[in-house]
Amino acid sequence: MSHCLICYERIVPQVTWTNLLLPVKEAIICSECKEKLPILAAPLCEGCGREMTEEGFCADCLKWQQDPQWKRVPITNHSVYPFQPFMREVITTWKYRGDYQLIECFQEELLHAFETFFYKKEESLTLVPIPLSNDRLIERAFNQAEALALLINKNIQVEVVHALTRKSEEASKQSKMTRKKRLARDNPFTIKKQQSKPVILIDDIYTTGMTIRHATKILLESGCPKVTSFTLAR
Amino acid sequence: MSKKSSVPPEKILPLNHSSLREDPIVQYLSGKLLLKEELPQNLKEPYLSQLQTLDAIDQPKSRPTCNRCGNNKKHLLGIIPCNRCHQTHVYCRNCLQTGRVLACEKLYFWAGVQPKWTHQSEPCTWKGNLTKAQQKAADRISEVMDSKDKKLLCWAVCGAGKTEMLFAGITLAISKNKRVCLATPRADVVRELFPRFRQAFKNTEIEALYGATKEKTGISQLTIATTHQLIRYSNAFDVIIIDEIDAFPFHNDENLHYLANRALKKEGSQIFLTATPRKREQMLIQTGKLEAVFVPVRFHGHPLPIPKEKYIFRLSYTLQKSTLPSVFKNWYKNRRNQTRQILLFLPTISLTTKLLPKIQAMYPNKKIESVHAEDAERKEKIDAYRNHEIDIILTTTILERGVTFPSVDVVVMDAGHAVFDEAALVQIAGRAGRSPDDPTGEVLFLHQGRTEALVSAIKQIKTMNKKGRNL
Ligand SMILES: [Zn+2]
Ligand SMILES: [Zn+2]
Ligand SMILES: [Zn+2]
Ligand SMILES: [Zn+2]
């Protein structure tokens, strides 16, 4: 008998006529939790990957495209799950409380979505996880974006490259008011390894899109021909 | 920092800093079992060398055990490729809520001098009087608190006034420089008790610990905490009082028992409080394996209201059809004191929501609400009921204990349902007649067949009343 990775409740294997004679595949999460984690359904925004009522770009993306500072940094983001309250809870436990193992409950949908969006379209894929600052990394003991990239790497033929580093967050921590402004101006990333082939940025959540844009911008400026992104939640 | 692999020692290390005893940092560290990030920042000598460590997670060949919470269940131990130590190892998923414990971490405990608290010969500032029954229990509790390695169960009926019975023992303990902890299963109770204790022990360092606490100083001679908070303590208290030992989650969580035992000093004593002991405790008392003191009467001296029970044919079916049995309607119309509010207990959340509109339509002049555990407005609704803004409240077992309303009648619908065990029914009945101004509320158990729980509950109440008469 296994336990649900999210709610710890016992999972009773469902025996039906179709799986009666097959070895039972152990479920990682219970059916109630699974139901509370729906995946994004088309149509999706062509820019940020959020759910839409019709095809095209969402209002946010259109705004970004008119921003003089950002209009030359086009982004194409794909995500797996909508960032709804239950997903927020699970990600909080995973990332901030540090329950590393929760990543397993995303595996199936993550790999499936990755294959649909990327696998068949391009030949060689390079994944670049969004880095954490060193202090953060020590505090959390793992980088959630790197964990996602490695999970894909373990199952699908892709390369994971740590092309970026993140500056210390000490300065921006001190004042919350100016943080938003500073975020827009200062790029938190520096290039660690130049990329000459297209890359896919990997992160856990796409919220405002600022992080992905900064990373895309610096990669393009340093000679990377194309940057797309893939996040767990949107 | 010296290394050690087993449990914190009783032994006090020799030291030449006698002034350390009244040092707040010593008062903070003593009796705790902390993660590095929970230690005071920039801790220096002479403190550092008197801290000892143990591995946060014990890893014998077979099964790792979290040394902070005692968990060794496989599904509650995770594996992490760790960027601190660059190895892949275990971490504890059981105590994540109070901060993650990694196998590459240490837990820190104070091995230096025991702290000294401000000496008080008369720490108790409460000036009330106890009833004869309360006094008798208070004397026994004091005796046990003052001895070593003793256990006492105090079986006091709902409304006996148990808090005041603890004051004498705590007074004695505090005047002897002892540390006392009152552990209770729920945060609401901590919030309710904290101001009362602060009032009764005005000059004592008291601290309230629960999930979202704001009163946390880390320094207290008298600690009022939810049982889960004991996770940060080891070898700390001379006396632990465990409130409501029969209540969830304490009664069925071995982990919490482990935490309570660890928080107690080696020769410390324990007081268990309950109004409704489980079968296990009742057996231990009967066979003389657990000492007990009874408080069979309420502080106002009136007997407990005895529940009336009534069989109703196909009651649960009737309720599912969103109808109220006519027995209820007749009782409601003819009850002795029409001014009392009603607590209407139902077995499930879905029934409370289903029946609410029906009952509201039936009594349009009455203000009727429902409340359950997952209700976002739970606190507001209970406050409104307390302020008499609600006449009838439909509820599940969440209002079975810990809440006191001065003047209510109590009805349990489908009292034979499995959620209403013996303890729950006795507690529910105990909501009635709490105030000296209205000590005789009515209690009605409606069922479609007597259960053992129902019979035992009524028997238990009658037995207590009999004991009360023979005092
Ligand atoms: Zn679950
Ligand atoms: Zn968009
Ligand atoms: Zn633990
Ligand atoms: Zn480690």
Side-chain angles (χ1 to χ4, degrees), chain B residues 82-87 89 102-105:
Chain B
C82 176
N83 263 296
R84 286 192 200 168
C85 66
H86 302 286
Q87 293 190 341
H89 57 63
L102 296 168
C104 62
E105 285 180 290

Side-chain angles (χ1 to χ4, degrees), chain A residues 143-159:
Chain A
N143 172 358
Q144 69 282 358
E146 184 191 12
L148 292 169
L150 292 176
L151 183 67
I152 299 169
N153 165 266
K154 217 172 82 186
N155 293 278
I156 297 172
Q157 191 63 38
V158 291
E159 202 189 343

Side-chain angles (χ1 to χ4, degrees), chain B residues 91 102 114 143 161 165 174 192 200 204 208 226 234 248 265 274 296 303 336 362 404 408 418-419 442 457 467:
Chain B
Y91 69 97
L102 296 168
Q114 294 280 312
E143 259 173 66
M165 292 186 255
I174 286 173
E192 194 219 303
T204 304
T226 54
S234 171
F248 175 85
K265 283 187 188 165
T274 174
R336 286 189 303 259
M362 249 165 63
T404 309
V408 294
V419 302
E442 291 182 56
K467 269 188 202 273

Side-chain angles (χ1 to χ4, degrees), chain A residues 37 53-54 69 73 76 104 182 195:
Chain A
L37 289 177
T53 45
E54 56 191 272
Q69 200 192 338
V73 188
T76 312
E104 288 175 14
R182 186 169 33 236
Q195 299 303 306

